[in-house]
Amino acid sequence: MSINAFKHNIPDKTFAKLNTEGEFTRLAVSPGIINKHYTPLQFQKIAEVIGENGAIKYSASYSILLSVPTIEVPRMRQELEEAGLYIAQQGHIVSMKACDFCDGDKMEAAMITEELYERLEGTEVPKRLRVNMNGCASACYNAVYDEIGLVYQKDSFDVYLGAVPMGRHAQAGELFAKKVPVQFIEQLLQAIIAGYQAYARQDEPFHKYYHRTKSADYWERLIQ
């Protein structure tokens, strides 16, 4: 037991340590947006691609972080994607997350999730913006603790905005709109994102932008 306890469990390789020896890039890898199950062959491929030079770390965002030599990224991406793995885009973009829809037992919102992913993922914004979709009222993947949280129930979504996802001031988002029909959810999200693009300050996180501007008429008009 003691071999894995606290001070005896400090990693030899971290992203920061590796970058003192050369240029490394971090890839966030998962089985998919909804699927959370890796296959043994996928784990084998991850280990094979990383080899002795890189590092593997699990994260709190439903993915495994791979630290790989930057010069090898194109080849490694191709090999990982050929194994059926999804590699998240990086940068100041809209980034979609989703629950596992009860391991596929509650798929009512799966189609709209895929449509939103195709239309929103990768959109450039002032600061990385996480949109978290949960497929039922249980919201067990903590949608309300991401910048934009969507909770599906009965052909509609409750929309939460302004969560502070980390730090000593961390807090859940506020219920912004209740029971938004499925057919209008993309329009609402596009309008929210467009407002963020237009009115946010440089590098301003979404939660700061929302709390700074939420008394503006702009927000009222979105839900009329």
Side-chain angles (χ1 to χ4, degrees), residues 10-73:
I10 298 172
D12 294 327
K13 292 183 178 180
T14 65
F15 187 61
K17 290 177 181 177
L18 288 169
N19 271 289
T20 63
E21 304 167 4
E23 188 177 347
F24 278 73
T25 295
R26 179 171 282 174
L27 304 178
V29 174
S30 69
I33 297 297
I34 294 174
N35 182 21
K36 303 296 187 287
H37 291 261
Y38 294 86
T39 68
L41 287 177
Q42 286 174 332
F43 270 125
Q44 183 177 329
K45 175 55 69 173
I46 289 171
E48 177 187 316
V49 165
I50 292 298
E52 296 296 322
N53 296 323
I56 303 172
K57 174 184 177 180
Y58 70 81
S59 76
S61 59
Y62 324 151
S63 61
I64 292 177
L65 302 178
L66 310 181
S67 298
V68 301
T70 300
I71 196 171
E72 296 288 339
V73 166

Side-chain angles (χ1 to χ4, degrees), residues 86-156:
Y86 166 72
I87 302 174
Q89 298 182 52
Q90 300 299 312
H92 290 185
I93 60 168
V94 174
S95 175
M96 287 282 295
K97 299 164 64 176
C99 70
D100 61 11
F101 294 87
C102 296
D103 281 337
D105 288 335
K106 295 182 179 180
M107 295 293 284
E108 294 91 338
M111 184 177 293
I112 184 62
T113 299
E114 184 173 356
E115 290 173 1
L116 291 173
Y117 169 77
E118 290 175 354
R119 292 180 172 93
L120 301 180
E121 175 83 5
T123 302
E124 292 187 5
V125 285
K127 195 78 170 178
R128 191 172 186 86
L129 171 59
R130 292 167 179 82
V131 179
N132 190 343
M133 164 83 77
N134 281 197
C136 73
S138 295
C140 55
Y141 273 74
N142 293 326
V144 300
Y145 281 94
D146 271 301
E147 288 96 339
I148 299 179
L150 305 175
V151 179
Y152 176 83
Q153 40 190 333
K154 295 183 180 179
D155 298 320
S156 67

Side-chain angles (χ1 to χ4, degrees), residues 9 34 40 54 72 77 91 102 114 118-119 126 134 149 166 180 193 196 206 208:
N9 191 27
I34 294 174
E72 296 288 339
R77 286 185 66 98
C102 296
E114 184 173 356
E118 290 175 354
R119 292 180 172 93
N134 281 197
M166 63 183 70
V180 179
I193 292 167
Y196 183 40
F206 182 82
K208 290 187 177 180

